[in-house]
């Protein structure tokens, strides 16, 4: 059974999952890791979701305000052993619901072209590709998405 916890970035389970995410991304992105890392600090995230399978933390994600109408989805990760079970979709859905409850009109995100599973997740969830925004403009490996919220 999957349990979803809404918390913030002080949550130790979230911090441990992000360490695993960073190690995973370092393998994928190699020399580009330092560029992305500067935009992925977690010390001040107020809206974090951690998913537990029974009592084991297996997935996480967060949102932070990009502008007054949009939240940016950050730090999405599912441990390898828990992939393919729909847990990431549950985390993403919870983040979107939270953003909507706070009055935001859309969620945006950036992911890497070398992450086909992440791209598939976001497209399946209804995200549409948009031009790269902010610090991702002109970054060859980045692909950006947006989804309108109810």
């Amino acid at each position: 059974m999957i349990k979803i916890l809404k918390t913030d970035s002080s949550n130790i389970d979230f911090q441990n999952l992000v360490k695993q995410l960073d190690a995973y991304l370092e393998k994928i992105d190699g020399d580009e890791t330092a560029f992305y890392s500067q935009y992925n600090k977690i010390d001040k995230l107020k809206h974090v979701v951690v998913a537990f399978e029974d009592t084991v933390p297996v997935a996480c994600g967060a949102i932070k305000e990009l502008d007054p109408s949009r939240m940016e989805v950050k730090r999405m990760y599912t441990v390898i052993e828990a992939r393919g079970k729909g847990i990431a979709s549950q985390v993403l859905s919870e983040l979107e619901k939270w953003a909507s409850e706070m009055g935001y009109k859309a969620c945006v995100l950036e992911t890497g072209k070398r992450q086909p599973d992440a791209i598939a997740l976001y497209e399946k969830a209804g995200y549409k590709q948009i031009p790269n925004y902010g610090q991702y403009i002109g970054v060859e490996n980045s692909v950006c998405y947006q989804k309108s919220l109810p």
Side-chain angles (χ1 to χ4, degrees):
M1 182 168 136
I2 303 302
K3 178 186 168 206
I4 302 287
L5 171 70
K6 289 166 73 172
T7 184
D8 62 30
S9 59
S10 68
N11 180 282
I12 193 69
D13 293 319
F14 174 69
Q15 292 173 13
N16 288 333
L17 286 165
V18 167
K19 285 178 187 170
Q20 294 177 56
L21 168 62
D22 288 341
Y24 171 76
L25 291 175
E26 191 165 350
K27 289 179 188 172
I28 293 173
D29 294 330
D31 292 342
E32 297 175 355
T33 301
F35 169 78
Y36 292 109
S37 294
Q38 65 184 322
Y39 302 111
N40 289 323
K41 306 290 185 221
I42 65 166
D43 57 334
K44 295 178 184 162
L45 294 174
K46 298 176 187 171
H47 306 96
V48 168
V49 168
V50 178
F52 295 83
E53 192 168 31
D54 296 316
T55 60
V56 179
V58 294
C60 65
I63 49 177
K64 73 173 191 178
E65 185 177 280
L66 183 67
D67 59 46
S69 66
R70 299 183 299 172
M71 280 291 224
E72 183 178 27
V73 177
K74 305 289 291 178
R75 312 314 286 162
M76 288 286 296
Y77 181 70
T78 303
V79 298
I80 293 169
E81 307 79 43
R83 292 182 186 172
K85 299 179 180 181
I87 300 170
S89 294
Q90 291 178 335
V91 168
L92 185 59
S93 178
E94 189 66 32
L95 291 170
E96 293 167 355
K97 181 179 169 193
W98 203 354
S100 182
E101 288 169 353
M102 291 186 292
Y104 291 90
K105 304 297 180 208
C107 282
V108 298
L109 60 89
E110 178 275 342
T111 193
K113 291 180 180 177
R114 299 179 198 108
Q115 298 175 58
D117 292 345
I119 290 170
L121 166 72
Y122 300 131
E123 290 180 352
K124 182 179 176 187
Y127 282 77
K128 304 295 182 205
Q129 190 171 346
I130 60 171
N132 287 9
Y133 59 88
Q135 64 268 24
Y136 306 113
I137 294 171
V139 177
E140 181 62 31
N141 179 47
S142 289
V143 59
C144 296
Y145 288 89
Q146 179 168 298
K147 178 180 179 180
S148 294
L149 299 174

